[in-house]
Amino acid sequence: GENVEQHPSTLSVQEGDSAVIKCTYSDSASNYFPWYKQELGKGPQLIIDIRSNVGEKKDQRIAVTLNKTAKHFSLHITETQPEDSAVYFCAARWGNNAGNMLTFGGGTRLMVKP
Amino acid sequence: SAVISQKPSRDICQRGTSLTIQCQVDSQVTMMFWYRQQPGQSLTLIATANQGSEATYESGFVIDKFPISRPNLTFSTLTVSNMSPEDSSIYLCSVVGGQSLSGTQYFGPGTRLLVL
């Protein structure tokens, strides 16, 4: 089955700096890669996702890049703010059928210092 | 996106008892899932809640411990049976939005369970 590795497990940055979180996956058939943000006491919220037919996707300060050959994808947050502090999870899914399961990475705790 | 609510939001229970968690979605959805998130850990899929039929459980989870119901396309329940302290976790309902089989997946706010 699919295996998703996420690094780093914790990341501390200064407000205004950029943050990068990386994930690798094992199943070359995976073609959907979402990122979730989980704030303390809340459920995971989808912040951005990418499908395997594109290499990069941006939404304001957030971007995701995908390297299918190397089987890794990354989340980039620019101009970090204290409210970006949360746990971030990457995930991967194969096939176009949502009945196929998402496999999650282990999570990254991001701390943005004011 | 789908708006998901869960009840209760948190509970403290005694070992040996059972707790039923409800998940309500504001629109009909194709897929509903139940996840467990142990303290400081990632998300683990318990089962897929199938409308009108028995749930599909992942390895390590059984129906006797985690019975699930899904009577319609907007509602599901998860029961944590005969609880022990090891069941202390966040339980999350998740759905794939709308009727699309390739849709994005959303999560509810979670139910925080502490078993004493």
Side-chain angles (χ1 to χ4, degrees), chain A residues 32 36 38-46 49 51 89 93 96-102 104-107 109, chain B residues 10 31 33 35 37 40-43 45 48 58 90 92 96 100-110 112:
Chain A
Y32 174 64
Y36 291 87
Q38 187 174 28
E39 296 175 290
L40 192 62
K42 298 183 178 180
Q45 285 191 309
L46 179 71
D49 58 9
R51 298 185 188 271
F89 292 98
R93 185 177 76 204
N96 288 321
N97 187 332
N100 298 328
M101 301 305 120
L102 282 175
F104 285 87
R109 181 173 300 277
Chain B
R10 61 179 65 243
M31 308 292 294
F33 307 97
Y35 285 80
Q37 186 177 27
Q41 301 297 311
S42 187
L43 291 80
L45 181 63
T48 302
E58 297 301 302
I90 301 171
L92 294 155
V96 171
S100 169
L101 289 177
S102 61
T104 50
Q105 189 165 336
Y106 302 96
F107 286 85
R112 283 145 186 82

Side-chain angles (χ1 to χ4, degrees), chain A:
Chain A
E2 175 66 278
N3 182 51
V4 178
E5 304 260 346
Q6 183 171 346
H7 298 282
S9 58
T10 60
L11 178 60
S12 181
V13 300
Q14 208 65 37
E15 181 178 359
D17 289 349
S18 296
V20 180
I21 303 170
K22 299 180 179 179
C23 289
T24 60
Y25 61 98
S26 61
D27 190 343
S28 57
S30 289
N31 61 3
Y32 174 64
F33 308 93
W35 285 89
Y36 291 87
K37 174 184 180 182
Q38 187 174 28
E39 296 175 290
L40 192 62
K42 298 183 178 180
Q45 285 191 309
L46 179 71
I47 55 172
I48 195 167
D49 58 9
I50 190 168
R51 298 185 188 271
S52 60
N53 57 345
V54 297
E56 184 176 2
K57 184 177 179 181
K58 288 184 180 180
D59 183 3
Q60 299 182 344
R61 296 186 295 110
I62 295 173
V64 56
T65 59
L66 172 65
N67 183 326
K68 289 167 51 180
T69 303
K71 291 190 285 189
H72 66 70
F73 56 111
S74 300
L75 177 70
H76 305 254
I77 306 174
T78 59
E79 301 174 24
T80 53
Q81 301 167 3
E83 50 266 37
D84 294 328
S85 296
V87 179
Y88 292 80
F89 292 98
C90 64
R93 185 177 76 204
W94 61 270
N96 288 321
N97 187 332
N100 298 328
M101 301 305 120
L102 282 175
T103 300
F104 285 87
T108 297
R109 181 173 300 277
L110 173 64
M111 293 170 284
V112 180
K113 298 178 180 179

